[in-house]
């Protein structure tokens, strides 16, 4: 209602679960038009924390076949890992204020913090990367 005290919402936003960005399963409170969870949060003035940016670490170890390469300069360098694309997606989706990432080691913190030095991914890449996940889409990295 109009007297809520919510300031933020946390929901999963990642390459394997892009629905908060792509699925229009909410309705605008005034127009009744369908909108995504991220659009609804924006219209309600809520900050969005993207949880599960690496999908419990899976997106740091495997690539998704439908995700296009990041544009040069946005991939963290020539030895870019799948986790870079996953973090770029989670932090770049319009409406996301912060992407949450759990890390077990200082090495992971250092590796993932490097992404903060590069610009966010552009919307055309986000749109292509946000395609629905299909069976067999995971490609293991060895």
């Amino acid at each position: 209602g109009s007297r809520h005290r919510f300031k933020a919402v946390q929901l999963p936003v990642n390459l394997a679960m892009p629905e908060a960005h792509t699925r229009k399963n909410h309705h605008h409170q005034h127009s009744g038009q369908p909108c995504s969870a991220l659009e609804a949060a924006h219209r309600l003035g809520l900050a969005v924390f993207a949880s599960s940016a690496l999908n419990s670490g899976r997106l740091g170890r495997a690539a998704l076949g439908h995700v296009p390469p990041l544009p040069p300069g946005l991939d963290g360098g020539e030895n870019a890992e799948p986790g870079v694309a996953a973090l770029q997606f989670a932090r770049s989706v319009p409406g996301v204020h912060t992407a949450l990432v759990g890390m077990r080691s200082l090495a992971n913190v250092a590796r993932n913090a490097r992404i903060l030095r590069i610009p966010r991914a552009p919307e055309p890449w986000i749109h292509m990367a946000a395609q629905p996940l299909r069976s067999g889409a995971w490609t293991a990295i060895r």
Side-chain angles (χ1 to χ4, degrees):
S2 63
R3 298 180 63 192
H4 74 82
R5 293 186 179 164
F6 284 110
K7 300 292 181 200
V9 64
Q10 178 180 322
L11 46 93
V13 178
N14 64 53
L15 288 169
M17 294 182 283
E19 293 85 3
H21 172 63
T22 61
R23 191 166 292 162
K24 296 193 181 292
N25 55 0
H26 291 66
H27 293 283
H28 187 273
Q29 62 184 3
H30 300 294
S31 71
Q33 294 295 320
C35 64
S36 71
L38 291 172
E39 291 168 333
H42 175 74
R43 289 177 178 157
L44 292 169
L46 300 174
V48 174
F49 291 82
S51 63
S52 194
L54 291 175
N55 196 20
S56 297
R58 289 180 202 87
L59 292 169
R61 296 185 302 270
L64 294 173
H66 72 282
V67 177
L70 282 158
L74 302 180
D75 60 1
E78 61 186 59
N79 295 322
E81 300 171 15
V84 173
L87 291 176
Q88 275 288 56
F89 181 81
R91 74 188 278 251
S92 302
V93 169
V96 170
H97 289 75
T98 301
L100 304 175
V101 183
M103 294 171 265
R104 292 185 181 153
S105 71
L106 288 176
N108 287 349
V109 172
R111 183 181 63 243
N112 292 336
R114 286 192 305 246
I115 197 168
L116 298 173
R117 293 188 212 122
I118 56 179
R120 295 174 191 252
E123 286 198 46
W125 181 86
I126 294 165
H127 179 72
M128 289 185 291
Q131 300 305 309
L133 188 61
R134 291 180 174 72
S135 177
W138 294 91
T139 304
I141 302 298
R142 301 193 191 276

